[in-house]
Amino acid sequence: MDGQPEIVRQVLGYVNQGWELAQGWLLSPAAWSQFGLLVVAFLAALVVSRKLSPILTRAITPPDGQTSYLAQARRFVLMFLPLLLPLLAYAFTGIGEQITRSIFGSGAVIAFGKRVFLFLAARALVRDIITDSFLKMLGKYILIPAMALYALGLLDDLTAYLSATVISLGNISFSIMALVRGVIAGSILFWLGRWSNDQSAALISKQEEMRPATRQLAVKATEITIFGVAFLLLMNIMGISLTSLAVLGGAIGVGLGFGLQKIASNFISGVILLLEGQATVGDYVELDGGEAGTIIKMMARATILETYDGRWIVIPNEDFITTRVVNYSDSGSANRYEAPFSVSYDTDINKVPAIVEAAVAKHKEVLDKPFPPDCELRRFGDSGVDFAVEFWVNGIDDGENKFTSDVLFLVWNALKENNIEIPYPQRVVEIKGGFPSA
């Protein structure tokens, strides 16, 4: 063994200790009595769980159709019923441990059994209860191996070894155990942060009395608060002093000043947009660059527009502050459109405005306020007299709304009913000198 590597010698040492421990248990009457108590505890837990599980299921299960918070809490508790058997076995084994320690003065075997039952509870939790893919992965690769080491009695030695190994990075120093603890705690904290953020966003979105911009701002503020608290808790769990992050904070500040200034500008612009509420989710906007669409999402860095042909346009928030933006969906305002048409020169044009205005006013989406339909004479064209009817509607003349098309149909039908001709291009051709002779 002297020529073997250190890790091999440690493994062989643990194997020898386990063999000696197993021999001691096999030859000890106290160990056999503890084995017997373990079997009795497990059988008792099996009987009690089979009797108790149906009773608890009936008592906890809420009536069908209930969606209250209490009903959701009862369904959540009901998910943990598969843990009843291993936890009862753990509890009964604890009672048996007290008995054996009082009689024989030792309880190593039954203590090992307790740890095994706790391992089985962790396994049932990961296998049967947890449904989230991320938590299931954490349970499969972190919780179950840790509980297996705990059941074998090796977890304390491994923890001590990892805690004694220290890593230094400039002014920051931490042990490998702190790093492992940080990875585990960070994963759980940020999963909880994501879940809490989703729940709070759903709750805030239901507050119809709040303005859309205010709701968006509340969602963003809640998100920043949740993940900020998660980060501070993670630093505390890892044992890293916040003062030691001063150098890192300075480096981030320099990065913001040079390479990340656009990101910072877009973030601040997004906050200003949410505070002012000049453009919010659901508004149809058009920017100076020609981008137009409905705002479907406002993020920390950019705003997403959806066009009527299904395309998404990602617009940096800064563009909404530094360029001209036309908002067609501002609360309380309508939009004016016009539909051009022409009539023949043989028409009594004095009758046209009244006929067209009456026809357009019949459209259910055309508004009387701020102004009713207004037919105006625009010009005397080459082929006919050019008119245009102006009308006001709520909404955008695109997508599901075809206001101009509907109005032109109404104009066509009204002119036809009154025998008013809509001209087509006409040209007069003059041939100088007459037609040539045959």
Side-chain angles (χ1 to χ4, degrees):
M1 287 188 53
D2 293 337
Q4 298 291 338
E6 179 65 24
I7 188 170
V8 175
R9 291 201 299 268
Q10 289 182 359
V11 171
L12 291 176
Y14 284 127
V15 171
N16 289 332
Q17 290 179 11
W19 175 247
E20 293 174 0
L21 182 62
Q23 284 183 326
W25 286 358
L26 292 174
L27 300 176
S28 171
W32 283 105
S33 64
Q34 292 177 52
F35 277 123
L37 284 174
L38 279 175
V39 174
V40 171
F42 177 75
L43 293 176
L46 185 62
V47 173
V48 173
S49 65
R50 287 183 176 178
K51 297 288 185 182
L52 196 58
S53 182
I55 299 174
L56 291 176
T57 301
R58 288 193 300 269
I60 298 175
T61 303
D64 293 338
Q66 282 194 3
T67 57
S68 63
Y69 289 113
L70 179 60
Q72 295 177 14
R74 292 170 67 179
R75 292 189 182 96
F76 179 76
V77 173
L78 198 62
M79 293 168 50
F80 292 89
L81 275 184
L83 298 180
L84 185 61
L85 175 59
L87 291 181
L88 282 175
Y90 178 83
F92 292 159
T93 305
I95 298 173
E97 183 183 10
Q98 297 298 322
I99 296 174
T100 56
R101 289 190 184 278
S102 63
I103 297 175
F104 298 103
S106 65
V109 176
I110 202 166
F112 172 74
K114 276 179 60 178
R115 296 195 297 269
V116 170
F117 288 137
L118 207 57
F119 167 77
L120 294 176
R123 183 171 174 269
L125 176 68
V126 174
R127 184 189 60 190
D128 301 327
I129 297 174
I130 296 177
T131 57
D132 184 85
S133 58
F134 178 73
L135 290 182
K136 188 177 283 290
M137 182 188 68
L138 286 180
K140 184 177 180 180
Y141 294 106
I142 295 178
L143 178 61
I144 290 181
M147 294 305 298
L149 292 172
Y150 174 72
L152 296 173
L154 302 177
L155 186 61
D156 292 338
D157 294 337
L158 180 61
T159 302
Y161 174 77
L162 295 178
S163 299
T165 307
V166 178
I167 299 175
S168 297
L169 295 174
N171 295 331
I172 303 175
S173 61
F174 50 87
S175 64
I176 295 181
M177 188 61 204
L179 181 62
V180 173
R181 190 164 57 238
V183 171
I184 298 172
S187 301
I188 296 174
L189 280 175
F190 281 95
W191 179 86
L192 284 174
R194 186 192 67 182
W195 180 83
S196 302
N197 183 59
D198 292 342
Q199 298 299 315
S200 60
L203 182 63
I204 293 172
S205 300
K206 294 179 182 177
Q207 309 305 314
E208 298 293 340
E209 66 275 5
M210 298 173 63
R211 294 172 56 244
T214 306
R215 290 200 297 267
Q216 289 290 320
L217 182 60
V219 169
K220 293 299 180 186
T222 304
E223 181 179 2
I224 293 172
T225 302
I226 288 174
F227 286 102
V229 171
F231 176 76
L232 294 176
L233 287 174
L234 178 59
M235 293 297 102
N236 187 43
I237 290 172
M238 293 184 65
I240 298 176
S241 174
L242 294 179
T243 57
S244 62
L245 298 176
V247 176
L248 180 61
I252 292 175
V254 173
L256 287 175
F258 290 97
L260 303 179
Q261 56 181 344
K262 277 292 185 182
I263 296 177
S265 174
N266 286 319
F267 178 78
I268 296 172
S269 299
V271 174
I272 294 173
L273 277 174
L274 293 174
L275 284 173
E276 293 184 347
Q278 298 302 319
T280 186
V281 174
D283 288 354
Y284 186 91
V285 297
E286 182 178 353
L287 279 72
D288 256 356
E291 302 89 351
T294 303
I295 299 177
I296 61 171
K297 193 172 185 180
M298 300 182 73
M299 301 180 295
R301 186 192 64 84
T303 297
I304 297 179
L305 307 183
E306 184 177 22
T307 64
Y308 281 115
D309 53 5
R311 294 183 176 90
W312 280 18
I313 307 175
V314 181
I315 307 294
N317 289 330
E318 186 182 15
D319 290 358
F320 283 86
I321 302 298
T322 58
T323 62
R324 185 177 65 92
V325 179
V326 180
N327 190 342
Y328 291 93
S329 304
D330 192 16
S331 178
S333 67
N335 298 311
R336 190 193 71 173
Y337 296 96
E338 65 175 42
F341 64 95
S342 299
V343 298
S344 170
Y345 275 104
D346 296 332
T347 304
D348 184 359
I349 60 175
N350 296 295
K351 298 179 179 179
V352 172
I355 294 172
V356 172
E357 290 170 3
V360 175
K362 295 177 181 178
H363 195 287
K364 62 180 181 179
E365 300 294 340
V366 173
L367 304 176
D368 291 331
K369 295 181 180 180
F371 299 102
D374 181 25
C375 183
E376 299 177 352
L377 174 63
R378 291 298 171 85
R379 66 186 62 83
F380 298 105
D382 295 336
S383 302
V385 183
D386 296 335
F387 285 86
V389 57
E390 298 176 349
F391 57 95
W392 289 79
V393 290
N394 283 321
I396 307 300
D397 186 24
D398 204 343
E400 62 181 6
N401 299 320
K402 302 293 188 293
F403 298 129
T404 302
S405 175
D406 294 343
V407 167
L408 287 174
F409 271 108
L410 293 173
V411 171
W412 172 277
N413 293 328
L415 296 179
K416 288 296 183 181
E417 289 174 1
N418 289 272
N419 298 317
I420 297 176
E421 181 183 354
I422 298 177
Y424 50 86
Q426 301 179 23
R427 296 291 183 269
V428 176
V429 180
E430 179 181 355
I431 300 177
K432 292 184 178 182
F435 289 100
S437 58

